[in-house]
Each structure stands twice: as C-alpha cells, then as structure tokens.
C-alpha cells in the first residue's frame, strides 16, 4: 500500500493558527452546531425500525445538503430489512468550478463513516428529549453517534470558511452498525478502498482516539425439547432448559482472559411455566477477542458444540447453533500508524497530546482495519454513557474535536 500521502515530510499539516481558527469558527457557531444535532436526534432511528430509519436518513441527507451543497456524487444502497447506506461525495476545495469533476476523479478522498442507527427504541424521545444542563448535552444517540455526523459537516464548513485546501470528502452513512453491520459492511469495505484515510467519529475515549478494538463473535444457541406435565408425566418430556443449563458452563469455559478473550452469556430463557417440562430454551452469547486466532478458535469451538450426556443420547433433544464471527479485532497496522502520527501532529498544534486507547467495544473501523487500510477511530464527541440512560456529551469538547477532525480532512 502506498502511504506516501500520509508519511512524506512535505505533506502539509495545518499550523496552530489555522487549527485555532477552525476551533474558533466552531465555537462562534456552537448554537447552530447544537441545533443541527437536535434536528437529527429528534428523528428517532432504532436499528430495527426500517420506516424510522428511512425517515431519519432522509432528514440527515436534507440537513447535510443544506449545509454543504449538492454533492458531486451520491449513491444509496438498499439495506433490505436493515437501514440503507448513503454515500455523499464533495470535491476537494478550494477548486475552480470547471476543475470540480477532475478533483473528484483524480484525488483520493477522505471518508468519514458514520452510523445513524441507535440502540434506543421508538418513543424514547417522549420521556428523554435532548436537553442541556451546563456542559452536559444529553439525549438518545447524541454520543453514539449522531454528533459524529454533525461534526463531519461542520468540519468541512470550517475549512471552507478559513479557505483551507482539503481533500475530496466522502460522507458514508450506514443504518445497522448497532446490530452487526450486516448490510453496511460490504458498502463500507467497497467505499473505503480508495480513501487516503477513513475517519470514524465514534465517541472518543475521554478525548483520545481508539487504536485497538476487540473483535466479536455472536452465538445464538437453542435447544429444542419436548413439553410434558412436570407432575403427571415428566418422563414423557425432554427438558431443553436442563440440557442448556448443563451446556452453559462449557460455553463460558471458552474464555481466555490471559489472551484478552471474554465470554458472556447475556440472556438465557426457556420454558413456559413452573409445572411444564421445557420444550425450548435459548441463550445469546457475546465473545470479545483481541486476536484473529482467538476469534477463529472460539468460533470453531462454538460451531462444534454438542449436548453433553445424558442429553446427547436423548433423540428428543436437538441443538441449534447460529455463530457469527461478526467483527475482526482492530489492531494497529502500518497504514493506521502513519495516519495516527499525522493526527498526533495536528493535536500538538492544538496543545494536546495524544494517547490512543484500547476498548472492548467494536465499530465499523474494525472492518476497515482488517483490510489493512488507514483508519482512525474514536474521533467523535467527548462524553460518557453510550447505550445507557446517562448518555451525554460535553459541549466543551465540540470545538476541539471538530478542529482535529477538520485537520485530517485538510491536505
């Protein structure tokens, strides 16, 4: 891979004065930035509600084009039962109007990947509207990751206002990140292959980027049995609950904490009543790994599971397995390390020192990193509580984080 545009010594990095000018621009327009955030937060976009996802994406598209103008390229990919993906591309700037097409085709873009779906169900806004209390801005999805969308828009606006040359900018919006990026993954992988760098403004780690993320394995494990009256004829039943309960310790034993591998049986349910031999039981398993070899080991072991004796010999019991090695682990690659070095230069210009963090959660950056492509993750809001009722971002972090993102868009 050619990393020349990220590593050559004569590559321009914005000066401290330019970065501070961008930061000041965002501070001066903070009211508008937060109003844009409110506008898209008010469009509820739960991951599994296709109608709301479509409406939310329409509103986000409208806001983006109102702020940045018509894109030179636009493509919407149907997600089926999942949220659609939308790709919007603007040429590098400043550029003469007659050079705009050439700028798009001849220059590699910088891509910002943002998901617009959230974990919050429809109706959440009725009990928890977006609100501000001092430096805290709360609301469903404000941190994870609707601010990242607004942040990208205003980073471009700040560069334009300052007359700073920047690369072509691609904004890629996906609608199923929170449930595994089933529809989004192929779009992300295809769209980022030509990018000089991909930026993922997921929530930061206290203002720091994330250079390592764990990979994931999901497993849905179901045991089918036979129901019977627990008092009158228990011998006619085959308990799915009993069989699964014995299997769970075997699943948990796949963990290897010394290698960063954790296993969590998040839900376990089954049966229909106290006095009924359970005809069905199921559990949902979440595995986190730091290395690809561990992901393969655990996924293979889960796929090879069989019921323990004496349940295995009971032909009335059947084990059903669905195993998905959902996201590969994200670890530093030469391409991403070069991008991180550039980011560190920009942070220094703002008087900040970078200390990238490892986190257990995964994101769409995992897919990009696995391809060996340059990607920077965790460039978004400073805050706490993603997926929780105390989800919030700090308003004081809006301008500094946006200035840093803008620096990576600049040439």
């Amino acid at each position: 891979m050619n990393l020349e545009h990220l590593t050559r010594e004569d590559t321009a990095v914005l000066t401290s004065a330019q970065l501070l000018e961008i930061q000041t621009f965002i501070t001066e327009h903070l009211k508008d930035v937060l109003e844009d955030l409110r506008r898209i937060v008010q469009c509820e976009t739960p991951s599994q509600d296709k109608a709301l996802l479509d409406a939310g994406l329409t509103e986000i598209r409208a806001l983006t084009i109102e702020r940045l103008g018509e894109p030179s390229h636009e493509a919407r990919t149907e997600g089926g039962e999942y949220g659609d993906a939308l790709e919007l591309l603007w040429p590098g700037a400043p550029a003469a109007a007659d050079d705009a097409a050439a700028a798009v085709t001849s220059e590699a873009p910088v891509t910002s990947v943002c998901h617009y779906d959230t974990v919050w169900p429809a109706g959440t806004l009725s009990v928890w509207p977006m609100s501000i209390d001092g430096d805290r801005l709360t609301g469903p999805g404000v941190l994870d990751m609707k601010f990242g969308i607004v942040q990208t828009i205003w980073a471009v606006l700040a560069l334009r206002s300052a007359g700073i040359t920047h690369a072509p900018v691609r904004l890629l919006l996906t609608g199923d990140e929170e449930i595994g990026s089933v529809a989004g993954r192929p779009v992300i992988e295809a769209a980022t292959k030509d990018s000089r760098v991909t930026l993922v403004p997921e929530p930061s780690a206290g203002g720091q980027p994330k250079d390592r993320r764990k990979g994931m394995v999901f497993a849905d494990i179901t045991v089918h049995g036979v129901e019977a009256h627990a008092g009158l004829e228990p011998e006619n039943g085959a308990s799915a609950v009993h069989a699964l309960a014995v299997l769970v310790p075997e699943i948990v034993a796949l963990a290897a904490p010394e290698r960063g591998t954790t296993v969590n049986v998040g839900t376990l349910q089954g049966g229909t009543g106290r006095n009924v031999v359970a005809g069905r039981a199921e559990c949902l398993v979440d595995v986190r790994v730091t290395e690809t070899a561990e992901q393969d080991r655990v996924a293979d072991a889960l796929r090879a599971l069989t019921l323990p004796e004496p349940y295995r010999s009971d032909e009335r019991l059947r084990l059903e397995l669905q195993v998905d090695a959902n996201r590969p682990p994200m670890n530093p690659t030469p391409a991403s390390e070069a991008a991180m070095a550039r980011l560190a230069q920009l942070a220094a210009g703002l008087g900040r020192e970078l200390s990238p963090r490892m986190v257990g959660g995964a994101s769409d950056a995992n897919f990009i990193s696995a391809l060996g492509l340059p990607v920077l993750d965790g460039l978004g809001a400073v805050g706490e509580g993603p997926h929780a009722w105390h989800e919030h971002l700090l308003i004081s972090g809006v301008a500094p984080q946006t200035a840093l993102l803008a620096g990576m868009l600049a040439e």
Side-chain angles (χ1 to χ4, degrees):
M1 174 178 295
N2 183 5
L3 305 180
E4 182 182 1
H5 59 272
L6 290 172
T7 59
R8 67 175 187 261
E9 292 184 3
D10 62 340
T11 297
V13 175
L14 298 190
T15 66
S16 294
Q18 288 174 312
L19 288 164
L20 290 173
E21 181 180 359
I22 292 170
Q23 187 166 301
T24 299
F25 175 85
I26 299 300
T27 300
E28 292 174 346
H29 292 82
L30 189 58
K31 182 178 179 181
D32 294 326
V33 175
L34 299 185
E35 189 54 39
D36 285 355
L37 179 57
R38 182 186 302 277
R39 179 172 167 179
I40 64 173
V41 169
Q42 286 178 334
C43 296
E44 293 185 300
T45 50
S47 301
Q48 295 171 318
D49 192 319
K50 177 64 170 172
L52 287 178
L53 288 167
D54 286 346
L57 184 57
T58 297
E59 184 65 15
I60 293 168
R61 177 187 178 277
L63 169 64
T64 305
I65 292 176
E66 285 174 23
R67 289 297 189 190
L68 299 181
E70 291 289 337
S72 57
H73 171 76
E74 178 176 355
R76 183 162 177 159
T77 303
E78 293 291 330
E81 64 182 296
Y82 304 101
D84 294 351
L86 179 64
E87 177 186 346
L88 303 169
L89 179 69
W90 291 269
D98 57 356
D99 292 336
V104 173
T105 57
S106 65
E107 295 183 52
V110 173
T111 299
S112 176
V113 175
C114 303
H115 69 85
Y116 62 93
D117 65 313
T118 77
V119 300
W120 299 101
T124 301
L125 280 172
S126 64
V127 296
W128 184 28
M130 182 176 130
S131 61
I132 296 174
D133 181 9
D135 193 34
R136 291 166 57 103
L137 184 151
T138 70
V142 295
L143 181 68
D144 187 14
M145 65 172 297
K146 288 187 172 178
F147 172 73
I149 301 171
V150 175
Q151 180 188 12
T152 302
I153 294 170
W154 279 90
V156 177
L157 286 175
L159 291 170
R160 290 179 179 178
S161 174
I164 296 173
T165 301
H166 65 77
V169 176
R170 174 192 287 126
L171 174 60
L172 181 59
L173 300 159
T174 65
D176 65 341
E177 191 271 350
E178 296 291 5
I179 53 175
S181 297
V182 176
R185 178 176 184 174
V187 181
I188 293 166
E189 291 178 336
T192 56
K193 284 182 179 178
D194 69 342
S195 300
R196 63 181 66 196
V197 65
T198 297
L199 311 177
V200 183
E202 285 271 9
S204 69
Q208 296 292 346
K210 301 169 181 178
D211 66 343
R212 291 174 171 84
R213 283 185 179 271
K214 286 192 174 184
M216 305 189 325
V217 179
F218 295 152
D220 297 358
I221 300 174
T222 306
V223 178
H224 302 275
V226 175
E227 290 185 339
H229 193 293
L232 295 177
E233 47 184 16
E235 68 281 358
N236 290 338
S239 176
V241 165
H242 294 182
L244 183 58
V246 175
L247 187 60
V248 166
E250 184 177 339
I251 297 169
V252 174
L254 293 173
E258 71 281 2
R259 296 195 291 271
T261 302
T262 61
V263 177
N264 180 60
V265 178
T267 68
L268 194 158
Q269 55 190 358
T272 57
R274 184 194 303 271
N275 59 350
V276 180
V277 176
R280 177 186 172 91
E282 62 182 353
C283 68
L284 302 180
V285 181
D286 179 293
V287 181
R288 304 291 167 127
V289 299
T290 59
E291 300 296 338
T292 302
E294 276 295 280
Q295 186 176 43
D296 293 340
R297 177 186 70 83
V298 176
D300 289 345
L302 288 169
R303 294 187 181 105
L305 284 174
T306 59
L307 290 174
E309 292 292 359
Y311 304 100
R312 187 185 311 167
S313 301
D314 191 334
E315 295 181 353
R316 298 172 300 172
L317 290 166
R318 177 171 60 87
L319 179 64
E320 179 183 344
L321 302 168
Q322 295 183 8
V323 181
D324 175 21
N326 183 261
R327 282 183 171 86
M330 183 180 85
N331 291 305
T333 64
S336 292
E337 286 178 335
M340 188 66 74
R342 183 178 176 88
L343 187 70
Q345 287 180 280
L346 293 164
L350 287 166
R352 298 168 58 181
E353 183 176 351
L354 287 192
S355 179
R357 307 290 172 80
M358 175 183 178
V359 294
S363 81
D364 286 332
N366 291 56
F367 299 132
I368 303 164
S369 177
L371 296 174
L373 300 172
V375 60
L376 293 174
D377 193 10
L379 302 180
V382 181
E384 294 180 351
H387 301 189
W389 283 97
H390 65 283
E391 178 176 3
H392 69 273
L393 62 81
L394 301 181
I395 297 173
S396 57
V398 167
Q401 290 298 100
T402 304
L404 199 58
L405 187 76
M408 287 302 299
L409 297 176
E411 295 203 82

